[in-house]
Amino acid sequence: MFTGIVEERGEVVAVADLADAARLTIKGPLVTSDARIGDSIAVNGVCLTVVELDGGAFTADVMRETLVRTSLAKVAAGDPVNLERAAVGARFGGHIVQGHVDGTGEVVAREPSEHWELVRVGMPARLARYVVEKGSITVDGVSLTVVEVGADWFTVSLIPETLRVTTLGVRGVGDKVNLEVDVIAKYVERLAAPHLGAIAEEVAGE
């Protein structure tokens, strides 16, 4: 489990194409400082398992399913990535983040201001029902608060620290980003679904 509080901005060192998978080597001195083989590290919001460690860098395998669903299919050597170790016994500064990306969005617009920047992100319409104003959403592994939400978009305000330490500071219009909606919303929908039909019939019969 993660919190969406990015610990450092790492760098992709190498990408090996394995036909139906990929192997990424990523430089991240902070997140590897106490890492062990088998540990989980979120890369742009995607939970990956460490399979090798070498001098401040780690290697992880990315399966086809992950490549299809996330922006990791497009990363190349030299690209910056957001990194976060799994949260164990630490303060919980963001929100519950699983590292299980629900889909990709696209940066639609950026409106800079003196002390913050408003960013509009397009998202698949199927995810919109899980996104609410002042709710939480994870963008490239960064826990953010939703400002506004539409049928297929939402906006977030980025403070200078977020712009400085994460890849969201360099994402341009048209860039793809990984999205993870609040898992609590998905559980509520799942639990409520069997009862919605009965409620609708009861209302219709009144």
Side-chain angles (χ1 to χ4, degrees):
M1 185 178 69
F2 305 92
T3 68
I5 304 300
V6 171
E7 295 186 88
E8 71 175 321
R9 193 160 73 180
E11 180 181 330
V12 177
V13 176
V15 179
D17 185 0
L18 305 178
D20 63 343
R23 174 164 283 202
L24 305 183
T25 300
I26 298 167
K27 183 179 180 181
L30 177 59
V31 298
T32 57
S33 61
D34 61 352
R36 296 177 297 178
I37 304 299
D39 282 356
S40 295
I41 296 177
V43 179
N44 280 354
V46 182
C47 178
L48 298 180
T49 300
V50 175
V51 297
E52 291 180 12
L53 288 164
D54 183 16
F58 70 95
T59 298
D61 291 321
V62 186
M63 298 297 97
R64 182 178 181 277
E65 174 71 5
T66 303
L67 294 173
V68 169
R69 286 182 173 268
T70 76
S71 64
L72 292 187
K74 301 294 185 181
V75 297
D79 285 352
V81 288
N82 295 323
L83 302 176
E84 182 193 353
R85 290 169 289 191
V88 179
R91 293 190 185 95
F92 209 93
H95 71 283
I96 298 173
V97 178
Q98 294 182 296
H100 302 160
V101 171
D102 293 298
T104 57
E106 181 177 313
V107 177
V108 175
R110 303 188 69 123
E111 299 177 22
S113 183
E114 183 179 358
H115 300 296
W116 50 273
E117 187 165 348
L118 186 70
V119 179
R120 179 181 288 233
V121 180
M123 64 177 165
R126 63 182 175 80
L127 296 181
R129 65 182 183 272
Y130 303 115
V131 183
V132 297
E133 289 187 12
K134 304 304 181 283
S136 297
I137 191 166
T138 309
V139 181
D140 268 359
V142 183
S143 173
L144 298 170
T145 300
V146 176
V147 176
E148 292 183 285
V149 61
D152 59 358
W153 59 269
F154 64 90
T155 59
V156 289
S157 290
L158 305 182
I159 62 174
E161 180 69 4
T162 302
L163 294 170
R164 184 181 69 84
V165 304
T166 78
T167 61
L168 298 185
V170 296
R171 290 280 183 253
V173 172
D175 284 352
K176 296 290 185 183
V177 290
N178 293 322
L179 303 177
E180 181 183 333
V181 298
D182 193 341
V183 67
I184 294 175
K186 292 190 287 185
Y187 276 123
V188 169
E189 179 185 63
R190 179 75 171 180
L191 291 169
H195 307 287
L196 295 180
I199 293 173
E201 289 179 6
E202 183 176 334
V203 171
E206 292 180 354

